[in-house]
Amino acid sequence: SVLSVFDMQDRDSGRESCTFQERFTAPYVLERKDCTIEIVQKPPELNGHKSDPLGTGSTVWPAAELLVELCPRHVKGKRVLELGSGTGLLGIVAAASGASAVTLTDLPSILTLLKANVARNSFVQHYGCAVKVQPLVWNDTDLQPFVQAGFDLVVCADVVYQQAHTEALLPTLVELLRGCPDARLLIAQERHEPVAWGTLKTGLRKAGLSSQEVVKSGGRIEVLLFYWPVDGSETAPAAGVKRESDTAPPAAKRRHAIAPGSSAFTDAVAAALSVASLDEVEPVSQDSSSEAVSE
């Protein structure tokens, strides 16, 4: 079923009031009923891959926290492939929530931290889930080994900060999902850059995928489930679940855009480093060209 609108202001207030050390350096601790997961974080650096020069994957972001809450209802018994795993929080929680296998992937520059967090929480494999870490550079990695290994669910959390990310991620997702047509894509994205995010959604739909809304639109984070229609025709959403296209707000009403174009990537990191609430940043006015972009 569709979750109610998530109050991101209440959700973020605790972490956004943290000191720099608490937000980016101290371990992120997730207390669960059955276990405690501890994630090592690192401050953003300037020596990362060209697609992520500030190393945004080295800390936990709100979209991952939201997908962590959704994990139990989506991953049980499934083989999970995560793109842009970053610290590994989401994949590790998936392993502890009943997934049968989890493969975490990211840029080579992120793998040291990712492997360290998997090793730090290796107890999750006692749940019967095999956990692997592999490099995957979008649109620049042979995807056949992942397709041949098989997966049931692809997950992504907060992976689009600029148009270049969409241009690399879109063909990667389409190729993976065509290789495993029964698999689904669960993606959560904070609206850092509405045009890039809208282009990704439109591209997935143009490729033939249908989508369902998992969390009602209106908050700063959007969560969608993409899948191939059965027999080439779009299936009806489950009871209480709306298609994303039925609920997407008009472009003129988009909020929480940090900045237009590629500068949204660095502005997002700058906003976090300054420990300022994203809600305090004035939304960028939408001109006619941005209104023409369909989400």
Side-chain angles (χ1 to χ4, degrees):
S1 61
V2 182
L3 296 183
S4 59
V5 175
F6 210 83
D7 189 342
M8 287 304 302
Q9 179 62 35
D10 289 345
R11 179 187 189 82
D12 290 349
S13 58
R15 297 199 76 203
E16 290 189 348
S17 62
C18 292
T19 64
F20 179 91
Q21 180 177 1
E22 292 170 334
R23 176 66 178 82
F24 291 100
T25 304
Y28 179 95
V29 179
L30 176 66
E31 297 283 353
R32 290 165 52 95
K33 291 181 179 180
D34 55 344
C35 65
T36 298
I37 293 173
E38 187 172 277
I39 298 295
V40 174
Q41 302 184 106
K42 289 176 56 180
E45 299 176 349
L46 297 176
N47 59 354
H49 189 272
K50 62 182 180 180
S51 65
D52 186 16
L54 292 180
T56 58
S58 61
T59 190
V60 175
W61 297 91
E65 293 180 296
L66 181 51
L67 279 192
V68 159
E69 296 189 8
L70 299 175
C71 256
R73 70 183 69 186
H74 288 282
V75 305
K76 190 171 183 179
K78 291 183 170 60
R79 298 165 297 172
V80 177
L81 172 63
E82 183 181 10
L83 304 190
S85 299
T87 62
L89 172 65
L90 179 56
I92 291 169
V93 171
S97 300
S100 61
V102 172
T103 300
L104 301 95
T105 70
D106 213 313
L107 298 166
S109 58
I110 298 292
L111 294 191
T112 299
L113 177 63
L114 187 51
K115 289 178 178 178
N117 279 325
V118 169
R120 193 182 190 93
N121 297 279
S122 59
F123 67 87
V124 299
Q125 302 198 46
H126 297 313
Y127 288 79
C129 178
V131 180
K132 296 190 298 184
V133 174
Q134 295 183 237
L136 199 166
V137 181
W138 304 338
N139 210 27
D140 193 30
T141 295
D142 181 9
L143 301 178
Q144 283 309 301
F146 298 97
V147 171
Q148 291 169 2
F151 52 85
D152 306 300
L153 181 69
V154 179
V155 294
C156 301
D158 216 2
V159 291
V160 176
Y161 284 83
Q162 56 182 338
Q163 190 68 17
H165 295 158
T166 293
E167 293 170 359
L169 179 60
L170 178 58
T172 299
L173 289 173
V174 171
E175 182 177 346
L176 285 169
L177 293 170
R178 282 178 175 160
C180 294
D182 292 330
R184 295 190 167 200
L185 165 65
L186 180 64
I187 182 167
Q189 179 63 42
E190 189 166 354
R191 294 183 177 95
H192 302 295
E193 220 297 10
V195 174
W197 172 227
T199 301
L200 179 62
K201 293 185 290 182
T202 298
L204 291 169
R205 291 197 295 269
K206 285 184 176 179
L209 288 155
S210 298
S211 64
Q212 293 180 0
E213 187 182 39
V214 179
V215 175
K216 282 185 178 180
S217 298
R220 282 163 47 190
I221 296 176
E222 192 171 7
V223 184
L224 298 174
L225 184 69
F226 285 90
Y227 54 92
W228 295 111
V230 178
D231 298 328
S233 59
E234 187 170 358
T235 56
V241 178
K242 297 181 180 179
R243 293 186 180 90
E244 182 275 333
S245 58
D246 295 334
T247 57
K253 295 184 179 179
R254 294 176 185 141
R255 298 183 64 249
H256 305 298
I258 296 175
S262 60
S263 62
F265 170 71
T266 50
D267 286 350
V269 178
L273 292 178
S274 65
V275 203
S277 169
L278 290 179
D279 278 334
E280 295 173 358
V281 181
E282 287 191 14
V284 175
S285 61
Q286 301 295 322
D287 58 22
S288 58
S289 60
S290 62
E291 289 182 16
V293 178
S294 171
E295 284 199 23

